Amino acid sequence: MDEQTRNILEILEEDARIVPEEIASLTGMTVEEVSQKIEYLEKAKIIRKYKTIIDWELAGENYVYAIIELKVQLERKLGYQAIAERLYKFPEVRSVRLLSGEHDISITVRGNSMKQVAFFVAEKIATLDQVQSTATHFVLKTYKENGLILDEPDQVKRLAVSP
């Protein structure tokens, strides 16, 4: 990948709403060159989606997120792809990742309550034939999401230390 393309991708990853004119100014390219590269990157599916990061807690929605680690038994002649495809089709599942280490797959799910997430794991995930065991970790607070700090304090609050 050439440096100009990498620069465009990094700029868009940081701010998906930035316009080609501004990217051209930042990279020293023409607006036409930037537009053509972006169009190519979209068609090649290198740019998969433009995404907004929403602080749902600040917006007044109290979603519950959980990270569920799975140990799976692979079916004959089928790899991890088959179980990943079953998992990512559930609308509650926000991400699916293949892991190294003690667990094989990690999924992130979103629900309206801890009870809803627990039922989803018990009724939909744990009942899959390939799933041997699960470990559910509820997210208590998100400080940073996709490179964006969500819990930036206005000022550092520290108590004075007296001698």
PDB file of all heavy atoms in Angstrom, residues 63-96:
ATOM      1  N   TYR A  63     -27.933   0.642  27.731  1.00  0.00           N
ATOM      2  CA  TYR A  63     -27.669  -0.692  27.210  1.00  0.00           C
ATOM      3  C   TYR A  63     -26.669  -1.405  28.098  1.00  0.00           C
ATOM      4  O   TYR A  63     -25.817  -0.791  28.736  1.00  0.00           O
ATOM      5  CB  TYR A  63     -27.104  -0.623  25.788  1.00  0.00           C
ATOM      6  CG  TYR A  63     -28.093  -0.176  24.751  1.00  0.00           C
ATOM      7  CD1 TYR A  63     -27.854   0.962  23.983  1.00  0.00           C
ATOM      8  CD2 TYR A  63     -29.272  -0.879  24.526  1.00  0.00           C
ATOM      9  CE1 TYR A  63     -28.749   1.377  23.017  1.00  0.00           C
ATOM     10  CE2 TYR A  63     -30.174  -0.457  23.568  1.00  0.00           C
ATOM     11  CZ  TYR A  63     -29.909   0.662  22.817  1.00  0.00           C
ATOM     12  OH  TYR A  63     -30.800   1.071  21.871  1.00  0.00           O
ATOM     13  N   VAL A  64     -26.766  -2.718  28.092  1.00  0.00           N
ATOM     14  CA  VAL A  64     -25.833  -3.569  28.819  1.00  0.00           C
ATOM     15  C   VAL A  64     -24.995  -4.301  27.784  1.00  0.00           C
ATOM     16  O   VAL A  64     -25.539  -4.884  26.842  1.00  0.00           O
ATOM     17  CB  VAL A  64     -26.590  -4.580  29.715  1.00  0.00           C
ATOM     18  CG1 VAL A  64     -25.633  -5.563  30.354  1.00  0.00           C
ATOM     19  CG2 VAL A  64     -27.408  -3.849  30.764  1.00  0.00           C
ATOM     20  N   TYR A  65     -23.686  -4.236  27.950  1.00  0.00           N
ATOM     21  CA  TYR A  65     -22.772  -4.941  27.057  1.00  0.00           C
ATOM     22  C   TYR A  65     -22.082  -6.048  27.833  1.00  0.00           C
ATOM     23  O   TYR A  65     -21.799  -5.898  29.023  1.00  0.00           O
ATOM     24  CB  TYR A  65     -21.713  -3.989  26.491  1.00  0.00           C
ATOM     25  CG  TYR A  65     -22.278  -2.988  25.524  1.00  0.00           C
ATOM     26  CD1 TYR A  65     -22.800  -1.777  25.961  1.00  0.00           C
ATOM     27  CD2 TYR A  65     -22.297  -3.251  24.164  1.00  0.00           C
ATOM     28  CE1 TYR A  65     -23.319  -0.862  25.067  1.00  0.00           C
ATOM     29  CE2 TYR A  65     -22.824  -2.332  23.259  1.00  0.00           C
ATOM     30  CZ  TYR A  65     -23.331  -1.142  23.726  1.00  0.00           C
ATOM     31  OH  TYR A  65     -23.859  -0.248  22.841  1.00  0.00           O
ATOM     32  N   ALA A  66     -21.804  -7.131  27.139  1.00  0.00           N
ATOM     33  CA  ALA A  66     -21.070  -8.237  27.763  1.00  0.00           C
ATOM     34  C   ALA A  66     -20.100  -8.814  26.743  1.00  0.00           C
ATOM     35  O   ALA A  66     -20.388  -8.848  25.539  1.00  0.00           O
ATOM     36  CB  ALA A  66     -22.026  -9.319  28.251  1.00  0.00           C
ATOM     37  N   ILE A  67     -18.975  -9.252  27.246  1.00  0.00           N
ATOM     38  CA  ILE A  67     -17.993  -9.967  26.435  1.00  0.00           C
ATOM     39  C   ILE A  67     -18.099 -11.425  26.855  1.00  0.00           C
ATOM     40  O   ILE A  67     -17.960 -11.739  28.048  1.00  0.00           O
ATOM     41  CB  ILE A  67     -16.582  -9.412  26.658  1.00  0.00           C
ATOM     42  CG1 ILE A  67     -16.539  -7.945  26.241  1.00  0.00           C
ATOM     43  CG2 ILE A  67     -15.541 -10.251  25.918  1.00  0.00           C
ATOM     44  CD1 ILE A  67     -15.363  -7.179  26.754  1.00  0.00           C
ATOM     45  N   ILE A  68     -18.384 -12.274  25.910  1.00  0.00           N
ATOM     46  CA  ILE A  68     -18.552 -13.693  26.207  1.00  0.00           C
ATOM     47  C   ILE A  68     -17.454 -14.466  25.511  1.00  0.00           C
ATOM     48  O   ILE A  68     -17.289 -14.373  24.296  1.00  0.00           O
ATOM     49  CB  ILE A  68     -19.943 -14.204  25.765  1.00  0.00           C
ATOM     50  CG1 ILE A  68     -21.033 -13.452  26.537  1.00  0.00           C
ATOM     51  CG2 ILE A  68     -20.084 -15.691  26.038  1.00  0.00           C
ATOM     52  CD1 ILE A  68     -22.010 -12.805  25.665  1.00  0.00           C
ATOM     53  N   GLU A  69     -16.685 -15.196  26.296  1.00  0.00           N
ATOM     54  CA  GLU A  69     -15.625 -16.036  25.754  1.00  0.00           C
ATOM     55  C   GLU A  69     -16.174 -17.456  25.618  1.00  0.00           C
ATOM     56  O   GLU A  69     -16.844 -17.952  26.521  1.00  0.00           O
ATOM     57  CB  GLU A  69     -14.408 -16.022  26.672  1.00  0.00           C
ATOM     58  CG  GLU A  69     -13.802 -14.634  26.809  1.00  0.00           C
ATOM     59  CD  GLU A  69     -12.738 -14.554  27.873  1.00  0.00           C
ATOM     60  OE1 GLU A  69     -12.901 -15.189  28.932  1.00  0.00           O
ATOM     61  OE2 GLU A  69     -11.748 -13.861  27.642  1.00  0.00           O
ATOM     62  N   LEU A  70     -15.881 -18.064  24.485  1.00  0.00           N
ATOM     63  CA  LEU A  70     -16.410 -19.396  24.204  1.00  0.00           C
ATOM     64  C   LEU A  70     -15.286 -20.395  23.972  1.00  0.00           C
ATOM     65  O   LEU A  70     -14.304 -20.080  23.289  1.00  0.00           O
ATOM     66  CB  LEU A  70     -17.275 -19.377  22.939  1.00  0.00           C
ATOM     67  CG  LEU A  70     -18.343 -18.306  22.813  1.00  0.00           C
ATOM     68  CD1 LEU A  70     -18.973 -18.364  21.432  1.00  0.00           C
ATOM     69  CD2 LEU A  70     -19.395 -18.488  23.872  1.00  0.00           C
ATOM     70  N   LYS A  71     -15.462 -21.579  24.514  1.00  0.00           N
ATOM     71  CA  LYS A  71     -14.634 -22.722  24.121  1.00  0.00           C
ATOM     72  C   LYS A  71     -15.518 -23.539  23.196  1.00  0.00           C
ATOM     73  O   LYS A  71     -16.666 -23.846  23.540  1.00  0.00           O
ATOM     74  CB  LYS A  71     -14.221 -23.557  25.327  1.00  0.00           C
ATOM     75  CG  LYS A  71     -13.174 -22.910  26.182  1.00  0.00           C
ATOM     76  CD  LYS A  71     -12.709 -23.838  27.282  1.00  0.00           C
ATOM     77  CE  LYS A  71     -11.704 -23.124  28.155  1.00  0.00           C
ATOM     78  NZ  LYS A  71     -11.235 -23.972  29.254  1.00  0.00           N
ATOM     79  N   VAL A  72     -15.001 -23.861  22.015  1.00  0.00           N
ATOM     80  CA  VAL A  72     -15.820 -24.563  21.042  1.00  0.00           C
ATOM     81  C   VAL A  72     -15.162 -25.866  20.600  1.00  0.00           C
ATOM     82  O   VAL A  72     -13.937 -26.006  20.632  1.00  0.00           O
ATOM     83  CB  VAL A  72     -16.128 -23.686  19.802  1.00  0.00           C
ATOM     84  CG1 VAL A  72     -16.886 -22.443  20.202  1.00  0.00           C
ATOM     85  CG2 VAL A  72     -14.875 -23.305  19.058  1.00  0.00           C
ATOM     86  N   GLN A  73     -15.998 -26.804  20.213  1.00  0.00           N
ATOM     87  CA  GLN A  73     -15.565 -28.066  19.621  1.00  0.00           C
ATOM     88  C   GLN A  73     -15.896 -27.970  18.140  1.00  0.00           C
ATOM     89  O   GLN A  73     -17.064 -27.824  17.782  1.00  0.00           O
ATOM     90  CB  GLN A  73     -16.313 -29.244  20.256  1.00  0.00           C
ATOM     91  CG  GLN A  73     -15.992 -30.584  19.655  1.00  0.00           C
ATOM     92  CD  GLN A  73     -14.559 -31.006  19.926  1.00  0.00           C
ATOM     93  OE1 GLN A  73     -14.084 -30.893  21.045  1.00  0.00           O
ATOM     94  NE2 GLN A  73     -13.881 -31.481  18.909  1.00  0.00           N
ATOM     95  N   LEU A  74     -14.888 -28.022  17.317  1.00  0.00           N
ATOM     96  CA  LEU A  74     -15.113 -27.884  15.886  1.00  0.00           C
ATOM     97  C   LEU A  74     -15.754 -29.142  15.315  1.00  0.00           C
ATOM     98  O   LEU A  74     -15.436 -30.250  15.731  1.00  0.00           O
ATOM     99  CB  LEU A  74     -13.798 -27.601  15.164  1.00  0.00           C
ATOM    100  CG  LEU A  74     -13.098 -26.309  15.557  1.00  0.00           C
ATOM    101  CD1 LEU A  74     -11.801 -26.159  14.778  1.00  0.00           C
ATOM    102  CD2 LEU A  74     -13.994 -25.117  15.308  1.00  0.00           C
ATOM    103  N   GLU A  75     -16.675 -28.935  14.370  1.00  0.00           N
ATOM    104  CA  GLU A  75     -17.285 -30.063  13.674  1.00  0.00           C
ATOM    105  C   GLU A  75     -16.321 -30.559  12.622  1.00  0.00           C
ATOM    106  O   GLU A  75     -15.478 -29.819  12.115  1.00  0.00           O
ATOM    107  CB  GLU A  75     -18.595 -29.615  13.020  1.00  0.00           C
ATOM    108  CG  GLU A  75     -19.670 -29.255  14.004  1.00  0.00           C
ATOM    109  CD  GLU A  75     -20.941 -28.775  13.331  1.00  0.00           C
ATOM    110  OE1 GLU A  75     -21.006 -28.749  12.089  1.00  0.00           O
ATOM    111  OE2 GLU A  75     -21.867 -28.419  14.062  1.00  0.00           O
ATOM    112  N   ARG A  76     -16.447 -31.821  12.271  1.00  0.00           N
ATOM    113  CA  ARG A  76     -15.567 -32.430  11.279  1.00  0.00           C
ATOM    114  C   ARG A  76     -15.630 -31.646   9.966  1.00  0.00           C
ATOM    115  O   ARG A  76     -16.703 -31.321   9.489  1.00  0.00           O
ATOM    116  CB  ARG A  76     -15.997 -33.869  11.053  1.00  0.00           C
ATOM    117  CG  ARG A  76     -15.114 -34.611  10.095  1.00  0.00           C
ATOM    118  CD  ARG A  76     -15.521 -36.032  10.056  1.00  0.00           C
ATOM    119  NE  ARG A  76     -14.395 -36.767  10.631  1.00  0.00           N
ATOM    120  CZ  ARG A  76     -14.281 -38.062  10.572  1.00  0.00           C
ATOM    121  NH1 ARG A  76     -15.218 -38.780  10.021  1.00  0.00           N
ATOM    122  NH2 ARG A  76     -13.230 -38.653  11.079  1.00  0.00           N
ATOM    123  N   LYS A  77     -14.472 -31.347   9.428  1.00  0.00           N
ATOM    124  CA  LYS A  77     -14.292 -30.642   8.149  1.00  0.00           C
ATOM    125  C   LYS A  77     -14.769 -29.192   8.165  1.00  0.00           C
ATOM    126  O   LYS A  77     -14.816 -28.545   7.140  1.00  0.00           O
ATOM    127  CB  LYS A  77     -14.951 -31.401   6.995  1.00  0.00           C
ATOM    128  CG  LYS A  77     -14.334 -32.764   6.741  1.00  0.00           C
ATOM    129  CD  LYS A  77     -14.906 -33.374   5.507  1.00  0.00           C
ATOM    130  CE  LYS A  77     -14.260 -34.744   5.281  1.00  0.00           C
ATOM    131  NZ  LYS A  77     -14.708 -35.359   4.052  1.00  0.00           N
ATOM    132  N   LEU A  78     -15.174 -28.707   9.311  1.00  0.00           N
ATOM    133  CA  LEU A  78     -15.581 -27.306   9.416  1.00  0.00           C
ATOM    134  C   LEU A  78     -14.643 -26.606  10.391  1.00  0.00           C
ATOM    135  O   LEU A  78     -14.341 -27.134  11.452  1.00  0.00           O
ATOM    136  CB  LEU A  78     -17.022 -27.173   9.906  1.00  0.00           C
ATOM    137  CG  LEU A  78     -18.106 -27.717   8.980  1.00  0.00           C
ATOM    138  CD1 LEU A  78     -19.460 -27.592   9.653  1.00  0.00           C
ATOM    139  CD2 LEU A  78     -18.104 -26.985   7.652  1.00  0.00           C
ATOM    140  N   GLY A  79     -14.196 -25.431  10.063  1.00  0.00           N
ATOM    141  CA  GLY A  79     -13.319 -24.678  10.941  1.00  0.00           C
ATOM    142  C   GLY A  79     -14.096 -23.703  11.793  1.00  0.00           C
ATOM    143  O   GLY A  79     -15.313 -23.814  11.978  1.00  0.00           O
ATOM    144  N   TYR A  80     -13.374 -22.724  12.292  1.00  0.00           N
ATOM    145  CA  TYR A  80     -13.983 -21.706  13.141  1.00  0.00           C
ATOM    146  C   TYR A  80     -14.959 -20.830  12.358  1.00  0.00           C
ATOM    147  O   TYR A  80     -15.866 -20.246  12.943  1.00  0.00           O
ATOM    148  CB  TYR A  80     -12.894 -20.839  13.780  1.00  0.00           C
ATOM    149  CG  TYR A  80     -12.088 -21.588  14.811  1.00  0.00           C
ATOM    150  CD1 TYR A  80     -10.808 -22.027  14.531  1.00  0.00           C
ATOM    151  CD2 TYR A  80     -12.619 -21.854  16.074  1.00  0.00           C
ATOM    152  CE1 TYR A  80     -10.065 -22.715  15.487  1.00  0.00           C
ATOM    153  CE2 TYR A  80     -11.893 -22.543  17.028  1.00  0.00           C
ATOM    154  CZ  TYR A  80     -10.615 -22.973  16.722  1.00  0.00           C
ATOM    155  OH  TYR A  80      -9.898 -23.655  17.672  1.00  0.00           O
ATOM    156  N   GLN A  81     -14.782 -20.749  11.056  1.00  0.00           N
ATOM    157  CA  GLN A  81     -15.648 -19.912  10.232  1.00  0.00           C
ATOM    158  C   GLN A  81     -17.121 -20.304  10.383  1.00  0.00           C
ATOM    159  O   GLN A  81     -17.997 -19.444  10.463  1.00  0.00           O
ATOM    160  CB  GLN A  81     -15.218 -20.000   8.756  1.00  0.00           C
ATOM    161  CG  GLN A  81     -15.970 -19.073   7.839  1.00  0.00           C
ATOM    162  CD  GLN A  81     -15.641 -17.608   8.048  1.00  0.00           C
ATOM    163  OE1 GLN A  81     -14.542 -17.256   8.488  1.00  0.00           O
ATOM    164  NE2 GLN A  81     -16.578 -16.738   7.747  1.00  0.00           N
ATOM    165  N   ALA A  82     -17.396 -21.593  10.438  1.00  0.00           N
ATOM    166  CA  ALA A  82     -18.786 -22.073  10.521  1.00  0.00           C
ATOM    167  C   ALA A  82     -19.468 -21.598  11.806  1.00  0.00           C
ATOM    168  O   ALA A  82     -20.598 -21.107  11.768  1.00  0.00           O
ATOM    169  CB  ALA A  82     -18.828 -23.591  10.423  1.00  0.00           C
ATOM    170  N   ILE A  83     -18.782 -21.703  12.943  1.00  0.00           N
ATOM    171  CA  ILE A  83     -19.386 -21.257  14.203  1.00  0.00           C
ATOM    172  C   ILE A  83     -19.445 -19.731  14.240  1.00  0.00           C
ATOM    173  O   ILE A  83     -20.423 -19.154  14.723  1.00  0.00           O
ATOM    174  CB  ILE A  83     -18.650 -21.826  15.445  1.00  0.00           C
ATOM    175  CG1 ILE A  83     -19.346 -21.415  16.748  1.00  0.00           C
ATOM    176  CG2 ILE A  83     -17.206 -21.439  15.498  1.00  0.00           C
ATOM    177  CD1 ILE A  83     -20.651 -22.068  17.022  1.00  0.00           C
ATOM    178  N   ALA A  84     -18.436 -19.058  13.680  1.00  0.00           N
ATOM    179  CA  ALA A  84     -18.452 -17.598  13.634  1.00  0.00           C
ATOM    180  C   ALA A  84     -19.663 -17.103  12.846  1.00  0.00           C
ATOM    181  O   ALA A  84     -20.337 -16.158  13.253  1.00  0.00           O
ATOM    182  CB  ALA A  84     -17.157 -17.064  13.022  1.00  0.00           C
ATOM    183  N   GLU A  85     -19.956 -17.762  11.723  1.00  0.00           N
ATOM    184  CA  GLU A  85     -21.113 -17.365  10.905  1.00  0.00           C
ATOM    185  C   GLU A  85     -22.419 -17.538  11.667  1.00  0.00           C
ATOM    186  O   GLU A  85     -23.323 -16.708  11.559  1.00  0.00           O
ATOM    187  CB  GLU A  85     -21.132 -18.164   9.608  1.00  0.00           C
ATOM    188  CG  GLU A  85     -20.052 -17.732   8.632  1.00  0.00           C
ATOM    189  CD  GLU A  85     -19.957 -18.617   7.401  1.00  0.00           C
ATOM    190  OE1 GLU A  85     -20.791 -19.545   7.229  1.00  0.00           O
ATOM    191  OE2 GLU A  85     -19.029 -18.391   6.600  1.00  0.00           O
ATOM    192  N   ARG A  86     -22.536 -18.605  12.432  1.00  0.00           N
ATOM    193  CA  ARG A  86     -23.763 -18.789  13.232  1.00  0.00           C
ATOM    194  C   ARG A  86     -23.882 -17.692  14.272  1.00  0.00           C
ATOM    195  O   ARG A  86     -24.972 -17.176  14.521  1.00  0.00           O
ATOM    196  CB  ARG A  86     -23.752 -20.159  13.911  1.00  0.00           C
ATOM    197  CG  ARG A  86     -23.933 -21.286  12.914  1.00  0.00           C
ATOM    198  CD  ARG A  86     -24.189 -22.598  13.549  1.00  0.00           C
ATOM    199  NE  ARG A  86     -25.513 -22.635  14.159  1.00  0.00           N
ATOM    200  CZ  ARG A  86     -25.943 -23.630  14.909  1.00  0.00           C
ATOM    201  NH1 ARG A  86     -25.173 -24.671  15.139  1.00  0.00           N
ATOM    202  NH2 ARG A  86     -27.146 -23.601  15.438  1.00  0.00           N
ATOM    203  N   LEU A  87     -22.769 -17.334  14.892  1.00  0.00           N
ATOM    204  CA  LEU A  87     -22.787 -16.341  15.959  1.00  0.00           C
ATOM    205  C   LEU A  87     -23.088 -14.938  15.437  1.00  0.00           C
ATOM    206  O   LEU A  87     -23.882 -14.206  16.029  1.00  0.00           O
ATOM    207  CB  LEU A  87     -21.452 -16.338  16.701  1.00  0.00           C
ATOM    208  CG  LEU A  87     -21.141 -17.598  17.500  1.00  0.00           C
ATOM    209  CD1 LEU A  87     -19.680 -17.620  17.925  1.00  0.00           C
ATOM    210  CD2 LEU A  87     -22.068 -17.725  18.705  1.00  0.00           C
ATOM    211  N   TYR A  88     -22.459 -14.540  14.332  1.00  0.00           N
ATOM    212  CA  TYR A  88     -22.641 -13.144  13.901  1.00  0.00           C
ATOM    213  C   TYR A  88     -23.993 -12.884  13.273  1.00  0.00           C
ATOM    214  O   TYR A  88     -24.358 -11.735  13.045  1.00  0.00           O
ATOM    215  CB  TYR A  88     -21.487 -12.625  13.056  1.00  0.00           C
ATOM    216  CG  TYR A  88     -21.219 -13.225  11.694  1.00  0.00           C
ATOM    217  CD1 TYR A  88     -22.175 -13.280  10.698  1.00  0.00           C
ATOM    218  CD2 TYR A  88     -19.940 -13.690  11.391  1.00  0.00           C
ATOM    219  CE1 TYR A  88     -21.891 -13.791   9.448  1.00  0.00           C
ATOM    220  CE2 TYR A  88     -19.641 -14.206  10.139  1.00  0.00           C
ATOM    221  CZ  TYR A  88     -20.621 -14.254   9.169  1.00  0.00           C
ATOM    222  OH  TYR A  88     -20.333 -14.753   7.931  1.00  0.00           O
ATOM    223  N   LYS A  89     -24.795 -13.917  13.072  1.00  0.00           N
ATOM    224  CA  LYS A  89     -26.153 -13.704  12.544  1.00  0.00           C
ATOM    225  C   LYS A  89     -27.152 -13.275  13.622  1.00  0.00           C
ATOM    226  O   LYS A  89     -28.222 -12.775  13.307  1.00  0.00           O
ATOM    227  CB  LYS A  89     -26.633 -14.967  11.830  1.00  0.00           C
ATOM    228  CG  LYS A  89     -25.898 -15.181  10.522  1.00  0.00           C
ATOM    229  CD  LYS A  89     -26.364 -16.407   9.800  1.00  0.00           C
ATOM    230  CE  LYS A  89     -25.585 -16.563   8.504  1.00  0.00           C
ATOM    231  NZ  LYS A  89     -25.888 -17.813   7.820  1.00  0.00           N
ATOM    232  N   PHE A  90     -26.799 -13.469  14.896  1.00  0.00           N
ATOM    233  CA  PHE A  90     -27.679 -13.007  15.974  1.00  0.00           C
ATOM    234  C   PHE A  90     -27.616 -11.478  16.050  1.00  0.00           C
ATOM    235  O   PHE A  90     -26.529 -10.916  16.130  1.00  0.00           O
ATOM    236  CB  PHE A  90     -27.250 -13.587  17.325  1.00  0.00           C
ATOM    237  CG  PHE A  90     -27.479 -15.058  17.480  1.00  0.00           C
ATOM    238  CD1 PHE A  90     -26.398 -15.926  17.550  1.00  0.00           C
ATOM    239  CD2 PHE A  90     -28.767 -15.572  17.564  1.00  0.00           C
ATOM    240  CE1 PHE A  90     -26.599 -17.289  17.709  1.00  0.00           C
ATOM    241  CE2 PHE A  90     -28.970 -16.939  17.719  1.00  0.00           C
ATOM    242  CZ  PHE A  90     -27.889 -17.788  17.793  1.00  0.00           C
ATOM    243  N   PRO A  91     -28.757 -10.795  16.063  1.00  0.00           N
ATOM    244  CA  PRO A  91     -28.731  -9.320  16.109  1.00  0.00           C
ATOM    245  C   PRO A  91     -28.120  -8.766  17.399  1.00  0.00           C
ATOM    246  O   PRO A  91     -27.617  -7.648  17.404  1.00  0.00           O
ATOM    247  CB  PRO A  91     -30.205  -8.924  15.971  1.00  0.00           C
ATOM    248  CG  PRO A  91     -30.991 -10.143  16.279  1.00  0.00           C
ATOM    249  CD  PRO A  91     -30.115 -11.327  15.983  1.00  0.00           C
ATOM    250  N   GLU A  92     -28.140  -9.527  18.470  1.00  0.00           N
ATOM    251  CA  GLU A  92     -27.558  -9.074  19.741  1.00  0.00           C
ATOM    252  C   GLU A  92     -26.033  -9.025  19.682  1.00  0.00           C
ATOM    253  O   GLU A  92     -25.395  -8.326  20.464  1.00  0.00           O
ATOM    254  CB  GLU A  92     -27.967 -10.016  20.892  1.00  0.00           C
ATOM    255  CG  GLU A  92     -29.440 -10.053  21.182  1.00  0.00           C
ATOM    256  CD  GLU A  92     -30.201 -11.093  20.339  1.00  0.00           C
ATOM    257  OE1 GLU A  92     -29.650 -11.635  19.362  1.00  0.00           O
ATOM    258  OE2 GLU A  92     -31.365 -11.357  20.677  1.00  0.00           O
ATOM    259  N   VAL A  93     -25.447  -9.794  18.772  1.00  0.00           N
ATOM    260  CA  VAL A  93     -23.987  -9.905  18.693  1.00  0.00           C
ATOM    261  C   VAL A  93     -23.424  -8.712  17.928  1.00  0.00           C
ATOM    262  O   VAL A  93     -23.774  -8.474  16.780  1.00  0.00           O
ATOM    263  CB  VAL A  93     -23.570 -11.239  18.039  1.00  0.00           C
ATOM    264  CG1 VAL A  93     -22.066 -11.294  17.832  1.00  0.00           C
ATOM    265  CG2 VAL A  93     -24.037 -12.413  18.899  1.00  0.00           C
ATOM    266  N   ARG A  94     -22.537  -7.969  18.598  1.00  0.00           N
ATOM    267  CA  ARG A  94     -21.930  -6.771  18.011  1.00  0.00           C
ATOM    268  C   ARG A  94     -20.584  -7.068  17.366  1.00  0.00           C
ATOM    269  O   ARG A  94     -20.172  -6.390  16.447  1.00  0.00           O
ATOM    270  CB  ARG A  94     -21.752  -5.692  19.086  1.00  0.00           C
ATOM    271  CG  ARG A  94     -22.986  -5.409  19.927  1.00  0.00           C
ATOM    272  CD  ARG A  94     -24.145  -4.913  19.141  1.00  0.00           C
ATOM    273  NE  ARG A  94     -23.881  -3.543  18.743  1.00  0.00           N
ATOM    274  CZ  ARG A  94     -24.681  -2.822  17.999  1.00  0.00           C
ATOM    275  NH1 ARG A  94     -25.807  -3.338  17.566  1.00  0.00           N
ATOM    276  NH2 ARG A  94     -24.380  -1.594  17.678  1.00  0.00           N
ATOM    277  N   SER A  95     -19.862  -8.074  17.873  1.00  0.00           N
ATOM    278  CA  SER A  95     -18.577  -8.452  17.280  1.00  0.00           C
ATOM    279  C   SER A  95     -18.283  -9.914  17.589  1.00  0.00           C
ATOM    280  O   SER A  95     -18.759 -10.455  18.583  1.00  0.00           O
ATOM    281  CB  SER A  95     -17.436  -7.556  17.797  1.00  0.00           C
ATOM    282  OG  SER A  95     -17.225  -7.777  19.170  1.00  0.00           O
ATOM    283  N   VAL A  96     -17.493 -10.532  16.707  1.00  0.00           N
ATOM    284  CA  VAL A  96     -17.053 -11.921  16.868  1.00  0.00           C
ATOM    285  C   VAL A  96     -15.571 -11.947  16.528  1.00  0.00           C
ATOM    286  O   VAL A  96     -15.163 -11.472  15.471  1.00  0.00           O
ATOM    287  CB  VAL A  96     -17.812 -12.886  15.920  1.00  0.00           C
ATOM    288  CG1 VAL A  96     -17.323 -14.316  16.091  1.00  0.00           C
ATOM    289  CG2 VAL A  96     -19.309 -12.794  16.131  1.00  0.00           C
TER     290      VAL A  96
END
